[in-house]
Amino acid sequence: MCPMSTHQQVPPPAEAPAPLPVVGSGRIFSRPVLAWASWDWGSAAFNAVMTTFVFTVYLTSEPFGGEERASQVLGWGLAVAGLLIALLAPVTGQRSDSGGRRKLWLGVNSLVVAVLTALCFFVFPSPQMLILGVALIAAANIFFEFAGVNYNAMLTQISTPSTIGRVSGFGWAMGYVGGIAALVVVLVVFIQPVVDWPGASSEDGLNIRLVAVFSALWFAAFAIPVMLAVPEVPRRARAAQLGFLASYGLLVRRVRTIYRESPHTIYFLLASAIFRDGLAAVFTFGGILAAGAFGFSASMVIVFAIAANVIAAAGAVIGGFLDDRVGPKRVIIGSLVGLLVAGTAILLLGTETHSFFGMEWTSDTTFWVFGLLLTLFVGPAQASSRAYLARLAPVGDEGELFGLYATTGRAVSFLAPTLFALCIGIFGSQLYGVIGILVVLLAGLLVLLPVRPPARVTRAVVPEA
């Protein structure tokens, strides 16, 4: 930035608004933290059941017109949803902050997700129902991300500067464990019922359609506690009157201010967007590699998925406590290095059987050991990334910054899938798709290294409307 002329008047620095009072003590087992983390627990029914392991698998099955066509339609639907999230998330976060409606919009968006999820009950196994199913899942994804923006912004309300890392880690852990609990219920009640009952019938996809209703009720029920335990943020009269399109102008001015006053906040958004895409790919392609490259049966993939969620939850809790002691940047760097080491081990050991000191090391052992090691490091990186940004968010405008967090993540979400597929095409083996994931993780690590830790970054004060 060019030095100012001596004839220019330097405007007085903007005064930072008073931080919102922390609700409760910020301890893990306090009522506000448990209520806040309950939302993460409940949301796992949408993430794990609807979009990952059960409903989208049903939606891309043969009865919907063939796996290839159904998968393609689903991919395009989710791509459109991702574009809308990228365009709208920062402004929706900004308006909920300024209007004093952060909790309100968390509740409204969560309710919309639950309703859209329940409506999936009407998606019968027929090619004519494919568009309806994709539209419902895509729309639910949009409102789920909007809810997540407000949910993440609440982190500073229910934690203190000395506990923000462990609270964030606890939330992520609750999400992983909630996913396990929801999947177990789905498995023993609807898919492979331990007690025979009419709802377990697979005729017309009844059991899977009822899974959608179960997921909606699960999410809605566990979203209620945070609505009761965390108070609403104060309303700002001037900003609340700002038109929707004018909100984008305010957003641009605020991003410029953040870049001028606190450039490392923007640098972190860019770095985290890259490595978060690699983190997502670990879970997205983990099951695919287990079944394809390493020959795991369908039941073994589910067992591995459950174990992976348990390990990831433990890692998130441990990483959260380390975050408060050594800082989020060190936790993220350590996690990314651990991911690179574990992924490289899978790549080098491959699907062959090896002999070490007279002991046989099979491909199954390789994937169980280093695959679970990968998931151990995913949790801390995700939790500390959220805690990192919460420490830098302009006071009172956390929702807007977490909206940008969602936008930057969506903007590069093509990286890991593209490189995964490209490496398979180049090397002719699914195993080598791991190279693509490692490249994204390494790129994120390299971009993160020069970014200062939050303790050395000035929190920006953004202009009002």
Side-chain angles (χ1 to χ4, degrees):
M1 194 166 65
C2 297
M4 298 185 66
S5 167
T6 56
H7 299 289
Q8 291 179 304
Q9 291 185 345
V10 181
E15 183 178 348
L20 295 174
V22 174
V23 182
S25 63
R27 294 195 304 269
I28 292 295
F29 296 109
S30 63
R31 179 173 175 264
V33 172
L34 290 174
W36 178 78
S38 173
W39 189 92
D40 239 331
W41 173 288
S43 70
F46 180 74
N47 277 329
V49 177
M50 294 301 293
T51 65
T52 305
F53 293 112
V54 181
F55 195 80
T56 50
V57 175
Y58 164 73
L59 198 58
T60 54
S61 60
E62 196 62 35
F64 287 92
E67 293 181 5
E68 184 175 340
R69 177 179 178 273
S71 297
Q72 187 176 33
V73 173
L74 177 63
W76 280 114
L78 294 178
V80 171
L83 177 62
L84 290 173
I85 291 165
L87 291 174
L88 298 174
V91 168
T92 56
Q94 174 199 111
R95 294 177 71 80
S96 65
D97 286 341
S98 60
R101 296 173 178 173
R102 181 181 294 172
K103 183 173 72 171
L104 171 65
W105 284 112
L106 172 62
V108 169
N109 288 319
S110 298
L111 179 61
V112 172
V113 173
V115 171
L116 291 170
T117 300
L119 288 175
C120 289
F121 174 79
F122 299 102
V123 180
F124 290 84
S126 166
Q128 289 75 27
M129 290 289 180
L130 175 62
I131 298 299
L132 173 62
V134 169
L136 289 172
I137 288 294
N141 264 280
I142 294 172
F143 287 98
F144 183 81
E145 287 286 349
F146 291 168
V149 167
N150 292 292
Y151 172 75
N152 288 334
M154 281 185 173
L155 177 58
T156 56
Q157 293 176 250
I158 48 91
S159 63
T160 65
S162 62
T163 64
I164 194 169
R166 70 193 72 175
V167 170
S168 180
F170 179 69
W172 273 107
M174 287 285 279
Y176 287 126
V177 178
I180 296 168
L183 284 170
V184 169
V185 172
V186 167
L187 186 65
V188 302
V189 176
F190 300 99
I191 308 299
Q192 295 179 357
V194 294
V195 177
D196 191 24
W197 69 294
S201 170
S202 59
E203 185 176 354
D204 285 333
L206 177 62
N207 58 339
I208 305 298
R209 289 160 45 222
L210 283 175
V211 163
V213 177
F214 160 77
S215 298
L217 293 174
W218 179 284
F219 184 25
F222 287 105
I224 292 173
V226 70
M227 307 302 297
L228 303 176
V230 181
E232 189 59 275
V233 295
R235 184 177 185 269
R236 302 179 199 169
R238 289 180 60 195
Q241 297 170 0
L242 198 66
F244 186 81
L245 293 179
S247 297
Y248 283 95
L250 178 60
L251 174 66
V252 171
R253 293 197 300 275
R254 286 179 168 176
V255 170
R256 286 175 178 169
T257 299
I258 294 173
Y259 183 73
R260 183 175 64 250
E261 295 185 2
S262 181
H264 285 265
T265 301
I266 302 298
Y267 300 157
F268 177 73
L269 281 172
L270 299 176
S272 72
I274 299 171
F275 70 68
R276 281 186 290 132
D277 189 43
L279 298 176
V282 171
F283 271 96
T284 301
F285 298 111
I288 294 172
L289 285 168
F294 289 86
F296 280 32
S297 65
S299 60
M300 286 302 294
V301 170
I302 293 175
V303 172
F304 179 83
I306 292 173
N309 276 273
V310 171
I311 297 297
V317 171
I318 295 170
F321 279 91
L322 289 175
D323 183 305
D324 291 327
R325 290 180 176 273
V326 303
K329 181 179 178 180
R330 290 181 179 178
V331 172
I332 297 170
I333 289 175
S335 298
L336 293 177
V337 171
L339 285 161
L340 290 169
V341 170
T344 301
I346 290 176
L347 187 64
L348 294 178
L349 293 173
T351 58
E352 305 296 325
T353 297
H354 304 272
S355 179
F356 297 110
F357 306 105
M359 298 180 63
E360 191 176 76
W361 181 284
T362 66
S363 61
D364 283 3
T365 305
T366 294
F367 197 79
W368 272 105
V369 171
F370 292 105
L372 291 180
L373 196 59
L374 280 171
T375 63
L376 175 67
F377 292 113
V378 168
Q382 289 174 321
S384 287
S385 182
R386 176 167 64 185
Y388 195 121
L389 193 65
R391 288 180 169 96
L392 298 180
V395 175
D397 292 293
E398 292 86 358
E400 184 175 56
L401 196 63
F402 274 108
L404 286 171
Y405 189 65
T407 293
T408 52
R410 289 287 177 170
V412 301
S413 61
F414 66 92
L415 282 176
T418 300
L419 290 176
F420 182 83
L422 186 62
C423 289
I424 292 174
I426 292 173
F427 297 103
S429 171
Q430 190 185 64
L431 176 64
Y432 289 101
V434 173
I435 296 176
I437 299 175
L438 294 178
V439 168
V440 174
L441 291 171
L442 178 60
L445 173 61
L446 294 177
V447 177
L448 176 66
L449 287 176
V451 180
R452 294 175 183 171
R456 296 176 54 202
V457 177
T458 301
R459 187 183 294 221
V461 179
V462 297
E464 291 293 339

